[in-house]
Amino acid sequence: MVVREYTSVSEVTGPLMIVEGVKNVKYGEVVDIETAAGEIKHGQVLDAMEDRAVVQVFEGTTGLDTKHTKAKFIGETMKISVGASMLGRIFDGAGRPRDGKKPIVPEARLDINGYPINPTARVYPKDFIQTGISSIDGMNTLARGQKLPIFSGAGLPHNELAAQIARQAKVPGSKEDFAVVFAGMGITAEEANFFRKDFERTGALERIVTFLNLADDPTIERIITPRIALTTAEYLAYEHGMHVLVILTDMTNYCEALREISAAREEVPGRRGYPGYMYTDLSMNYERAGKIIGKKGSVTQIPILTMPSDDITHPIPDLTGYITEGQIVLNRELHRKGLYPPVDVLPSLSRLMQQGIGKERTREDHAGVSNQLYAAYAEGRDLKDLVAVVGEEALTDRDKAFLKFSERFEAEFINQGKDEDRTISETLDGGWELMKVLPERDLKRVSTELIEKYLKKEKK
Amino acid sequence: MGKIIRIAGSLVEADGMRGTKIYELVKVGKEQLLGEIIRLNRDSASIQVYEETDGLSPGEPVTGTGQPLSVELGPGILTSIYDGVQRPLEIIQKETGHFMARGVTVSPIDKKKKWDFKPLIKKGDAVEAGDIIGEIPETKIITNKVMIPYGISGKVEWVAKAGKYTSDELLCKVKSGSKVEKVTATQMWPIRKPRPTIEKLAPEIPMVTGQRILDMFFPLAKGGAAAIPGGFGTGKTVTQHQLAKWCDADIIIYVGCGERGNEMCDVLREFPALKDPKSGESLMERSVLIANTSNMPVAAREASVYTGITLAEYYRDMGYDTSVMADSTSRWAEAMREISSRLEEMPGEEGYPAHLASRLAEFYERAGRVISLGKEGRTGSVSIIGAVSPPGGDFSEPVTQNTLKITRVFWALDTTLADRRHFPAINWLTSYSLYSDQVSPWLEKEINKDWTKTRVEAMVILQKESELKEIVQLVGPDALPEKERLLLEISRMIREDFLQQNAFHDVDTFCPLPRQYKMLKVILTLHEKAALALSKGMPLTDITKLEIIDKIARMKEIPKKDFEKRIDDMIKEITSKLG
């Protein structure tokens, strides 16, 4: 490893610094920067040429000059020290201790970009994770190794929901090592406190590794925060056999940082100024969820993103939805009605649900119940729009039953307490209870045997 | 030999490259990463690298191979799992572990395996390119036909006796002009160049998929090209999987281009376990999977669709019907965009390169039913089913629009239907197939002479429904005359009891053509008889109370062996209750 130091900074523009006259710079290598005032910053090579290197500076370029600033090329790509002692600790967005304690005892140093998992080495995620939340367990089931984002909006209770999932998530009937890796990018100190207090309250703090890049921390550092968090998660999962739940919030801030760098490099912008490679870049993070053949642990991801002006077609939720295995969408209207969690089940989806549910996994009637609730709720919602125009009197009895169903579905099934932990059986039984409102001949999505077994049984 | 002067992401620039050709395959850096030259300028070349470039440094060497990026064609391709540039993922996993390593060189086909070769020609025969010299049973269901490679013709000087040979062993010597050409079971072919054929034929045989909405309303012909655009969560991938599992092509090439790792894992796990409906053998016996997930290098993603189609053409030339599922072509287009923007090319619409339309056209034009080279005049076909992932589900974007210009089948996935869990979420009003008329004669001859009539009748009902729905939105359903309310009831039944199909239900997942016809026929018979009863004064409420409606709602689940009888009973019941 040859360390080379240069003072030949020729240009500083936005988050970028250009160094001239450098030799044998490696693409992606780390640069330690010392400003005239003696402050140490870190950067990474984005463009390596024969005698020039473009470096992105994580801590912001304030204080850099073109005369005294020293750039030290480390000769290796960005790595982080990891170890089991990270559990219970709080780090900043670049992985340095933020809790005033000493650095951890490293067990390994790993490249933060990781390597793509060979598709043939993956185990298909099908272990049901019970979150205790009906709208997720019943309708959009989460599996170990899945990446299921929460699409939210400003002012919606996504943090409460994420904390509740982190608190309640378990695989029923198993006692295995679990851990949570929490990465906050550009979140406020208040939000960070909320999570910390919540974890403390439930005594889960010693199972949690926290990486915090707060709203007033350097923007560009956000680019590496999720990578560091995921590297840690992979290490805990594959080397220590833990089941790791990774919460990444807020991915919107991450994408903004990406756009900032792209703009500074004067790249051809894609939609809404976000770089054309944002899909690839996001996938490098999201695809790090999974399970591997022969390894005990798993990495499950719950990224949270706030949709600018609640627009699901905005590039950030759009590209995310194309990579992740479904999405949980929060709805402002439900929130206004005072329902918690305000999960809009219609646009929500879990792609891995089919394989994770059913006999021996959750319950034999799970698929049927969820399909039936979906279909009936969708019909009820359509009718609600119709009622607004023609009035309830114009409806047939059948339609009125669907309308009533959808109202009760929101109030009883979706709505639940912030500490209410429903088992999957409670959730499904709740679903059958609601189906009683509907005419039996309209229960087409559940087989006659199941109706016999679950609906009739309860009637007796 | 040149040297690197610049690295920016997947793009590397190198100096001292004079003499190399455009699209030539090169080895980049000390780790010998695979790359392809995409621009030449005097001494320097721009190279797209098929592997991660982290850690590369200016000054490292670049060597040309003299060859364009090619695939190796030969027995052993079937049942394989490749990345975008035909590297076998299973073998790489064995050699380098769970994560993808760089600079690995592994032969795409097993060179040690001995194959049973049976010659079909003899010494002295005159042969030309495409002629079959012998056969090798490649899998339990597919026989590999060893063909004379393109560019060779002449007299057979020597041919190997029946027996076991590796794919590189000499099988035949042909005196071609003054040279003696050696023929083995393998040949190379550049992926960006279509394999030549004698003639393109009109596609007139439908590709049976067992998916009701596709076969009945929007059929794809063998040798045709279809586009499935849809926003996320609308079921592109499930539809592609269903087609790969059930369509009646001989060979399936599944290209996972820039998609999810877990989904590819699902394919890898499910295909070997599934039985091919025709042969009863594992589906893998007829399949090749190309998995280049979204976090694998972007340039290899760009190559993956070409790799897939070239493999398909190879089996087409043997006389097989092949089918390429490309999921998703948008990721391929984005890969082009990413590379083009790194080359600092002038962008076209939405930042896509100006050559987007022509690249898409070139790709889809490689579909077709053809007479392949060789004296026999074998017919084979390549069908392409390309998924498109339009940003925000908006079909007006360049990739969807340019794809629709070329493909003749459009299966429009609809977010509203998907939200209602109406699957397959294919919109019956906006989708179309230009093959409907071409394949009608075949369907009328093979399945039922009323096939087309039935299809048109049902479609008219669905069209009419959408018009009536607008009125209902304004005035409520009560304001409609009974005849039209009956039509709404029937169209609801077509939607829910015919068009909706459960990919995860044992019986419903695959619906043979005769069964499709009967199912629709029952609903239409009910319509006909009920309309008649209505005109004779029977109130609509009495009709909608009939038990037969519930029976129709459950006809999807009827097991195969009872189907004929139960359907006939249902038709009888309709006649007795309403006639």
Side-chain angles (χ1 to χ4, degrees):
Chain A
M1 210 187 299
V2 197
V3 176
R4 291 141 297 148
E5 198 173 294
Y6 300 92
T7 49
S8 45
V9 175
S10 67
E11 198 180 329
V12 180
T13 161
L16 305 180
M17 171 182 89
I18 293 163
V19 191
E20 300 273 355
V22 294
K23 280 275 165 288
N24 299 328
V25 171
K26 288 193 168 117
Y27 179 72
E29 89 174 282
V30 174
V31 186
D32 284 351
I33 304 152
E34 195 186 331
T35 67
E39 193 190 346
I40 301 288
K41 291 171 184 275
H42 302 83
Q44 190 180 14
V45 175
L46 281 188
D47 199 339
M49 285 159 272
E50 273 187 309
D51 57 348
R52 230 158 80 92
V54 178
V55 179
Q56 64 174 344
V57 184
F58 295 121
E59 289 90 347
T61 43
T62 324
L64 295 192
D65 66 358
T66 49
K67 192 171 175 196
H68 304 290
T69 299
K70 286 185 204 145
K72 212 193 270 179
F73 288 77
I74 301 296
E76 60 170 22
T77 49
M78 192 158 279
K79 291 198 166 68
I80 175 187
S81 301
V82 289
S85 58
M86 292 174 91
L87 287 164
R89 298 286 305 272
I90 299 173
F91 303 89
D92 71 2
R96 291 169 296 237
R98 202 188 173 107
D99 48 9
K101 294 183 201 155
K102 281 196 198 119
I104 62 144
V105 184
E107 293 167 20
R109 266 177 76 72
L110 300 175
D111 189 318
I112 65 160
N113 286 314
Y115 291 96
I117 303 176
N118 187 327
T120 57
R122 279 183 185 266
V123 179
Y124 193 74
K126 52 187 175 182
D127 294 337
F128 163 66
I129 297 182
Q130 181 178 298
T131 64
I133 297 162
S134 292
S135 45
I136 297 178
D137 292 351
M139 313 293 280
N140 299 291
T141 319
L142 179 66
R144 259 182 191 162
Q146 184 172 11
K147 40 195 180 291
L148 189 66
I150 298 174
F151 286 7
S152 184
L156 293 179
H158 45 263
N159 290 338
E160 282 83 350
L161 182 59
Q164 191 175 2
I165 295 173
R167 198 161 65 222
Q168 297 182 170
K170 57 181 153 296
V171 174
S174 77
K175 272 209 166 37
E176 282 165 322
D177 250 0
F178 80 98
V180 175
V181 172
F182 179 89
M185 291 153 281
I187 62 171
T188 60
E190 218 172 299
E191 284 174 294
N193 277 340
F194 164 79
F195 278 105
R196 202 175 47 100
K197 284 218 177 93
D198 198 86
F199 295 151
E200 252 169 21
R201 178 171 71 94
T202 50
L205 207 56
E206 72 270 19
R207 308 300 307 161
I208 296 177
V209 187
T210 309
F211 295 94
L212 285 180
N213 166 283
L214 297 183
D216 55 354
D217 286 341
T219 324
I220 305 308
E221 197 179 270
R222 282 166 208 167
I223 300 281
I224 51 173
T225 311
R227 292 182 164 83
I228 289 178
L230 287 162
T231 306
T232 311
E234 281 175 349
Y235 179 76
L236 294 175
Y238 304 135
E239 301 303 324
H240 285 273
M242 293 180 181
H243 293 286
V244 187
L245 181 70
V246 184
I247 297 175
L248 305 169
T249 180
D250 176 335
M251 286 307 282
T252 306
N253 296 334
Y254 170 83
C255 294
E256 302 290 344
L258 216 54
R259 176 162 72 175
E260 199 178 320
I261 293 172
S262 172
R265 295 184 69 188
E266 296 172 5
E267 289 170 337
V268 181
R271 275 211 307 154
R272 302 219 189 171
Y274 292 98
Y277 50 80
M278 194 159 84
Y279 177 84
T280 308
D281 189 281
L282 284 172
S283 75
M284 306 274 260
N285 290 308
Y286 294 145
E287 276 293 333
R288 291 174 80 175
K291 269 194 84 173
I292 290 181
I293 291 172
K295 301 268 182 183
K296 218 173 118 227
S298 63
V299 177
T300 309
Q301 274 188 36
I302 302 192
I304 298 171
L305 53 93
T306 46
M307 299 182 280
S309 59
D310 293 356
D311 177 11
I312 199 169
T313 65
H314 185 280
I316 299 172
D318 192 55
L319 295 178
T320 300
Y322 275 122
I323 304 164
T324 54
E325 284 125 1
Q327 65 278 339
I328 303 288
V329 184
L330 302 189
N331 178 305
R332 200 168 293 279
E333 204 180 308
L334 293 176
H335 180 59
R336 280 202 203 105
K337 280 191 199 163
L339 301 175
Y340 172 88
V343 173
D344 188 353
V345 295
L346 296 185
S348 298
L349 171 75
S350 165
R351 291 165 189 274
L352 303 183
M353 178 169 177
Q354 288 293 344
Q355 316 280 344
I357 61 172
K359 215 172 180 172
E360 284 163 25
R361 301 200 174 276
T362 54
R363 219 167 77 178
E364 52 176 344
D365 57 330
H366 194 156
V369 170
S370 121
N371 281 335
Q372 186 62 60
L373 294 177
Y374 259 115
Y377 179 57
E379 194 160 351
R381 281 263 290 254
D382 284 347
L383 286 164
K384 212 187 237 166
D385 297 340
L386 185 61
V387 165
V389 184
V390 299
E392 203 168 330
E393 305 76 47
L395 296 185
T396 61
D397 286 345
R398 179 183 176 277
D399 290 352
K400 280 181 192 150
F402 275 88
L403 202 59
K404 188 169 167 216
F405 166 85
S406 71
E407 273 162 16
R408 282 191 56 188
F409 178 77
E410 288 177 3
E412 295 168 30
F413 191 87
I414 293 185
N415 193 25
Q416 71 182 82
K418 286 183 184 164
D419 280 311
E420 189 180 348
D421 191 355
R422 295 182 187 160
T423 67
I424 184 66
S425 282
E426 283 166 359
T427 293
L428 293 175
D429 290 343
W432 283 107
E433 188 61 34
L434 291 173
M435 277 187 239
K436 286 181 189 164
V437 178
L438 301 171
E440 200 184 305
R441 69 185 301 193
D442 281 308
L443 301 180
K444 286 183 195 170
R445 308 288 180 105
V446 275
S447 69
T448 23
E449 299 89 67
L450 291 176
I451 292 182
E452 209 58 47
K453 188 167 166 191
Y454 291 96
L455 196 71
K456 300 279 170 68
K457 176 194 78 182
E458 290 184 17
K459 269 186 186 167
K460 273 170 204 166
Chain B
M1 191 161 91
K3 68 175 175 43
I4 299 176
I5 52 170
R6 181 181 181 186
I7 308 119
S10 56
L11 189 79
V12 166
E13 277 171 36
D15 232 353
M17 297 297 288
R18 206 177 279 255
T20 52
K21 292 187 285 288
I22 190 99
Y23 299 124
E24 181 174 329
L25 193 68
V26 291
K27 301 275 174 102
V28 181
K30 291 177 201 139
E31 286 183 88
Q32 301 256 302
L33 309 180
L34 273 185
E36 186 183 10
I37 297 178
I38 50 174
R39 187 158 72 186
L40 283 170
N41 183 6
R42 291 167 199 276
D43 234 17
S44 73
S46 300
I47 299 158
Q48 59 173 350
V49 182
Y50 293 121
E51 301 180 66
E52 292 300 335
T53 50
D54 279 4
L56 272 188
S57 166
E60 287 189 43
V62 177
T63 35
T65 61
Q67 296 295 323
L69 181 60
S70 301
V71 285
E72 191 164 1
L73 303 169
I77 288 177
L78 289 176
T79 75
S80 294
I81 300 153
Y82 295 121
D83 77 348
V85 285
Q86 213 200 3
R87 281 181 299 193
L89 289 174
E90 278 176 311
I91 298 170
I92 291 183
Q93 190 200 328
K94 271 183 210 128
E95 291 191 0
T96 66
H98 299 313
F99 293 91
M100 297 295 291
R102 294 195 303 188
V104 187
T105 319
V106 188
S107 165
I109 45 190
D110 187 348
K111 292 292 165 76
K112 292 199 192 89
K113 183 165 176 176
K114 295 235 177 199
W115 301 93
D116 267 317
F117 172 75
K118 196 179 87 191
L120 295 174
I121 48 159
K122 53 185 191 308
K123 190 180 164 183
D125 284 355
V127 289
E128 56 187 75
D131 279 351
I132 292 170
I133 61 164
E135 288 181 341
I136 288 172
E138 186 173 349
T139 67
K140 283 178 194 140
I141 50 177
I142 300 294
T143 306
N144 188 300
K145 298 179 178 154
V146 183
M147 293 173 288
I148 299 278
Y150 187 63
I152 297 179
S153 71
K155 261 205 165 63
V156 175
E157 282 207 330
W158 175 84
V159 63
K161 284 200 222 63
K164 286 187 177 293
Y165 300 89
T166 65
S167 54
D168 277 346
E169 262 177 282
L170 186 63
L171 296 177
C172 174
K173 282 190 212 161
V174 178
K175 187 146 173 71
S176 178
S178 57
K179 274 203 305 193
V180 175
E181 302 274 0
K182 291 172 179 170
V183 179
T184 66
T186 53
Q187 47 177 294
M188 300 294 285
W189 193 266
I191 61 170
R192 295 184 200 277
K193 188 173 157 196
R195 283 173 64 88
T197 58
I198 290 180
E199 193 189 344
K200 270 205 171 185
L201 303 169
E204 49 203 15
I205 302 167
M207 166 94 79
V208 180
T209 65
Q211 310 304 305
R212 287 186 290 269
I213 185 160
L214 306 185
D215 290 345
M216 181 58 80
F217 293 108
F218 312 109
L220 171 65
K222 287 199 174 114
I228 327 180
F232 60 83
T234 49
K236 283 181 302 294
T237 303
V238 176
T239 311
Q240 291 274 34
H241 285 197
Q242 282 296 93
L243 292 169
K245 284 177 205 165
W246 300 115
C247 84
D248 67 342
D250 303 311
I251 307 276
I252 304 289
I253 315 280
Y254 194 96
V255 187
C257 170
E259 286 290 309
R260 303 175 181 86
N262 279 334
E263 265 170 15
M264 282 319 294
C265 167
D266 186 28
V267 177
L268 301 180
R269 191 181 57 102
E270 213 176 354
F271 273 34
L274 280 169
K275 295 265 184 289
D276 172 21
K278 273 192 296 184
S279 64
E281 293 293 339
S282 155
L283 266 188
M284 254 345 251
E285 303 279 311
R286 63 163 192 176
S287 310
V288 184
L289 304 177
I290 295 171
N292 211 86
T293 57
S294 55
N295 55 342
M296 283 156 79
V298 67
R301 192 194 301 166
E302 196 268 334
S304 64
V305 294
Y306 292 106
T307 301
I309 194 113
T310 310
L311 298 183
E313 284 176 343
Y314 169 60
Y315 285 98
R316 171 202 69 192
D317 289 348
M318 294 179 199
Y320 291 114
D321 288 321
T322 63
S323 185
V324 179
M325 318 314 179
D327 184 15
S328 146
T329 58
S330 292
R331 306 295 160 233
W332 167 46
E334 280 163 14
M336 280 192 248
R337 175 167 73 183
E338 204 171 316
I339 292 155
S340 154
S341 104
R342 293 210 194 272
L343 280 174
E344 292 169 359
E345 287 178 344
M346 184 66 79
E349 222 179 327
E350 291 200 20
Y352 285 105
H355 56 247
L356 173 73
S358 57
R359 289 284 165 84
L360 282 168
E362 279 163 24
F363 171 67
Y364 282 104
E365 265 306 289
R366 289 174 77 169
R369 198 164 148 253
V370 305
I371 298 183
S372 30
L373 296 185
K375 282 195 287 286
E376 274 176 274
R378 294 180 297 273
T379 16
S381 67
V382 172
S383 311
I384 303 179
I385 298 154
V388 185
S389 318
D394 173 12
F395 291 174
S396 66
E397 58 92 38
V399 183
T400 314
Q401 286 306 314
N402 285 311
T403 304
L404 289 183
K405 271 196 262 172
I406 325 149
T407 60
R408 302 189 64 200
V409 178
F410 172 46
W411 294 327
L413 291 169
D414 191 318
T415 311
T416 329
L417 290 175
D419 284 355
R420 273 149 189 67
R421 297 305 189 261
H422 174 115
F423 286 117
I426 294 168
N427 187 310
W428 50 90
L429 296 174
T430 47
S431 301
Y432 61 77
S433 163
L434 301 180
Y435 293 117
S436 284
D437 293 338
Q438 267 169 295
V439 300
S440 276
W442 188 93
L443 288 162
E444 284 168 11
K445 186 165 156 264
E446 302 288 329
I447 309 298
N448 195 297
K449 61 177 173 21
D450 286 338
W451 181 278
T452 314
K453 200 175 131 240
T454 313
R455 182 189 78 215
V456 173
E457 200 180 324
M459 195 36 93
V460 169
I461 294 175
L462 290 171
Q463 278 289 350
K464 190 95 182 136
E465 178 195 37
S466 79
E467 291 161 26
L468 289 176
K469 278 235 163 126
E470 283 175 24
I471 303 176
V472 170
Q473 281 298 329
L474 291 174
V475 296
D478 280 353
L480 293 180
E482 290 213 315
K483 191 167 152 259
E484 295 189 331
R485 278 163 58 195
L486 172 70
L487 187 129
L488 285 182
E489 185 66 18
I490 298 294
S491 66
R492 186 188 58 77
M493 290 169 73
I494 297 180
R495 281 188 286 114
E496 291 180 4
D497 307 335
F498 184 80
L499 295 182
Q500 282 185 15
Q501 190 167 355
N502 187 347
F504 303 98
H505 188 281
D506 292 343
V507 178
D508 203 26
T509 183
F510 176 78
C511 189
L513 294 181
R515 182 170 171 141
Q516 295 187 16
Y517 174 78
K518 287 248 162 127
M519 284 175 74
L520 196 53
K521 190 73 195 166
V522 170
I523 301 175
L524 295 178
T525 310
L526 177 73
H527 185 210
E528 184 195 335
K529 301 286 180 198
L532 211 61
L534 212 57
S535 68
K536 282 181 188 158
M538 191 171 179
L540 181 65
T541 43
D542 284 3
I543 296 173
T544 53
K545 266 191 209 130
L546 288 177
E547 214 185 311
I548 182 74
I549 293 181
D550 301 330
K551 284 190 185 157
I552 289 177
R554 303 228 174 247
M555 69 182 164
K556 292 180 207 174
E557 299 164 14
I558 303 175
K560 201 169 143 201
K561 60 177 177 17
D562 305 338
F563 186 76
E564 287 285 325
K565 190 179 168 303
R566 296 261 296 270
I567 283 284
D568 290 343
D569 289 349
M570 281 159 80
I571 295 200
K572 272 183 214 141
E573 192 178 332
I574 293 170
T575 331
S576 73
K577 289 272 158 53
L578 293 167

